[in-house]
Amino acid sequence: IAARQRYADLVHRANVDDDVKVLIIRGVGEHFGSGADLPEMAGMFNGDPDYSVLPEFAIDPADTGDGDVKYPPQGSYRYIAQVTNLYANSNFGLRSLQDFKKISIVEAKGYCYGWHFYQAADADMVIASDDTLFGHSAFRYVGWAARQWQWATMMGLRNFMEMVFTGRPFTAQEMKDCAFVNSVVPK
């Protein structure tokens, strides 16, 4: 959560900074990234009574004093709707590149899954190494993912349905063939 929020802040700063003309986003190490930290988010879906969604909103549950911030209860529509709306807000790092007013390029390599898959979908250009695997498994563990319409727009409806329904990752070449990736290069 903190990394996603920090990313949103950095993209925001780059957007405002006139010295920045192009933003290149790349992963450290062998992979672009595998998405959100599922253990960190597990309590959102497994009914853990001690889990708090407030950190997703940059609210520390310990700093709410006498309980002045009360999140909607699990099982209610507002419980997951609040998070879904948050994930559509560029200030919280999920769609920061959609609101970026300069050129953005993602360098994808290795795994490009989940949250990182969104960053690739939102970038102006995607350069992928030949070993890159693209995917998002939220359909398997939650049943939905925020802004899935964007995947359909970027990949085409048939490819989108295959990725969502089978959960299988797509290779860099498959993503180039459906115009999601601009170039595939040797690692």
Side-chain angles (χ1 to χ4, degrees):
I1 295 169
R4 189 185 70 244
Q5 292 168 350
R6 174 74 174 138
Y7 172 82
D9 182 55
L10 291 171
V11 172
H12 171 72
R13 289 170 170 270
N15 201 20
V16 172
D17 188 344
D18 193 46
D19 287 338
V20 175
K21 306 302 183 205
V22 175
L23 180 64
I24 299 172
I25 300 105
R26 58 191 311 233
V28 174
E30 296 295 310
H31 305 282
F32 182 53
S34 59
D37 183 355
L38 294 182
E40 184 178 52
M41 298 177 68
M44 187 183 307
F45 306 107
N46 69 9
D48 179 353
D50 297 324
Y51 178 79
S52 174
V53 181
L54 293 178
E56 290 277 354
F57 296 86
I59 299 171
D60 184 346
D63 290 342
T64 60
D66 59 355
D68 58 348
V69 177
K70 183 178 180 196
Y71 196 78
Q74 287 187 9
S76 71
Y77 168 77
R78 290 183 336 275
Y79 178 81
I80 204 68
Q82 291 281 24
V83 172
T84 302
N85 286 338
L86 176 79
Y87 288 169
N89 182 329
S90 62
N91 296 326
F92 285 89
L94 192 61
R95 55 166 285 207
S96 301
L97 291 180
Q98 278 192 338
D99 290 345
F100 192 66
K101 305 301 183 217
K102 301 172 187 177
I103 298 167
S104 62
I105 303 171
V106 161
E107 175 195 278
K109 57 188 174 178
Y111 292 118
C112 181
Y113 278 27
W115 178 84
H116 295 85
F117 181 81
Y118 279 108
Q119 303 320 300
D122 290 345
D124 295 315
M125 295 174 54
V126 178
I127 311 301
S129 65
D130 51 14
D131 72 331
T132 308
L133 293 174
F134 292 86
H136 198 300
S137 59
F139 197 75
R140 288 182 166 193
Y141 64 84
V142 180
W144 61 273
R147 301 187 310 111
Q148 285 185 322
W149 60 267
Q150 172 128 19
W151 307 353
T153 301
M154 297 303 295
M155 301 175 63
L157 188 56
R158 296 273 184 206
N159 290 319
F160 163 74
M161 290 189 309
E162 182 179 347
M163 182 180 280
V164 170
F165 295 154
T166 68
R168 98 168 163 83
F170 279 42
T171 66
Q173 188 59 52
E174 287 175 304
M175 294 303 268
K176 181 172 183 349
D177 292 345
C178 70
F180 186 96
V181 166
N182 296 83
S183 299
V184 178
V185 299
K187 189 169 186 178

